[in-house]
Amino acid sequence: MKKFLIAGNWKMNKTVAEAVAFAEEIKAKGLRNPEEVVVLAPFTQISALNAALEGSGISVGAQNVHFEQSGAFTGEISVGMLKELEVAYCIVGHSERREYFGETDRTVNMKLKTLLEAGITPILCVGEDINVREARGEQTFVAGQIIADFEGIPASEVSKIVIAYEPIWAIGTGKTATPDQAEEMCAFIRGVIGGIYDNNTADNTLILYGGSMKPGNAAELLAKRDINGGLIGGASLQADDLAAIADAAADLKAD
Ligand code: PGA
């Protein structure tokens, strides 16, 4: 049966009180597959969210981590600090971090290794911008990111990494990739993983789509063969919307 991961990326939103209120709301929905849902929250909310979601099956994750274990990195958060808060997932290389905070494939690669060593599941983001897409360079671009980001990571670790394909032109723009465009790239990414490693590893790797996913378009995106879920920004801020997307995934499993 297909495995899904419905991951809400809250970005820089919500106070602790708002996060706890969200937790109460989503718990009340009685999700059918809560273990396939994760909320990726700002650091300040993680502790309270984990407490509020305890026993619900829903996981809590972070949006970033430093690749070093400790040291003189003012303003950064280490993997040990995330482990202490029982963080299950952590986003790596989101396009906003690549664009605004100087994240490179090299730092992404180091962060992936740091998280794997700590037993936290990375959610690695890749995806092209509109110029690359218009020049039809998206496959070359994304393959380049995958090859660089997975450098030195052994096959046995690969399926512990979740990959999220997020075309930058679809993030926060309301302009979703069509289900066929999303599927084409997710299948391509699976092929790249199969090429670097092997088909079994590729088949066992979760590949998500992200970029303006919402209740109205989730079902047709999630129905695609190579799409194992979503990384959802704007629509994850409302418990109703995130629950509706999780429901769409649960419906597909029940079919
Ligand atoms: P969006 O964001 O759903 O608001 O487009 C997705 C993301 O950036 O992860």
Side-chain angles (χ1 to χ4, degrees), residues 59-206:
S59 302
V60 177
Q63 300 171 10
N64 189 29
V65 67
H66 197 275
F67 48 83
E68 293 290 354
Q69 301 293 330
S70 65
F73 301 102
T74 302
E76 291 292 314
I77 298 283
S78 76
V79 75
M81 297 170 190
L82 295 186
K83 264 198 90 87
E84 185 184 30
L85 298 185
E86 295 175 15
V87 157
Y89 293 86
C90 183
I91 302 178
V92 179
H94 190 280
S95 60
E96 287 151 16
R97 298 225 48 98
R98 293 180 190 256
E99 185 179 351
Y100 308 134
F101 302 98
E103 194 86 76
T104 64
D105 286 321
R106 174 144 176 72
T107 56
V108 164
N109 175 256
M110 291 191 283
K111 290 179 180 196
L112 289 177
K113 290 173 179 163
T114 298
L115 287 165
L116 288 170
E117 213 178 298
I120 295 176
T121 303
I123 301 179
L124 164 67
C125 301
V126 295
E128 80 287 355
D129 67 18
I130 191 64
N131 296 325
V132 171
R133 169 71 56 169
E134 280 174 353
R136 302 207 173 146
E138 67 274 13
Q139 292 196 342
T140 309
F141 182 84
V142 170
Q145 286 185 316
I146 298 275
I147 290 164
D149 296 347
F150 279 83
E151 167 110 44
I153 294 176
S156 58
E157 298 289 283
V158 172
S159 55
K160 296 179 189 163
I161 298 173
V162 176
I163 301 172
Y165 168 56
E166 297 208 306
I168 295 169
W169 46 272
I171 296 177
T173 57
K175 210 168 130 186
T176 322
T178 64
D180 286 343
Q181 282 174 323
E183 166 62 15
E184 184 182 46
M185 183 60 89
C186 291
F188 174 75
I189 290 171
R190 206 177 293 288
V192 172
I193 294 293
I196 306 174
Y197 299 98
D198 56 81
N199 287 342
N200 191 40
T201 299
D203 288 343
N204 288 325
T205 300
L206 294 187

Side-chain angles (χ1 to χ4, degrees), residues 9 11 94 96 166 170-172 211-213 231-234:
N9 173 13
K11 308 193 180 186
H94 190 280
E96 287 151 16
E166 297 208 306
I171 296 177
S212 301
M213 189 186 274
L231 183 55
I232 303 127

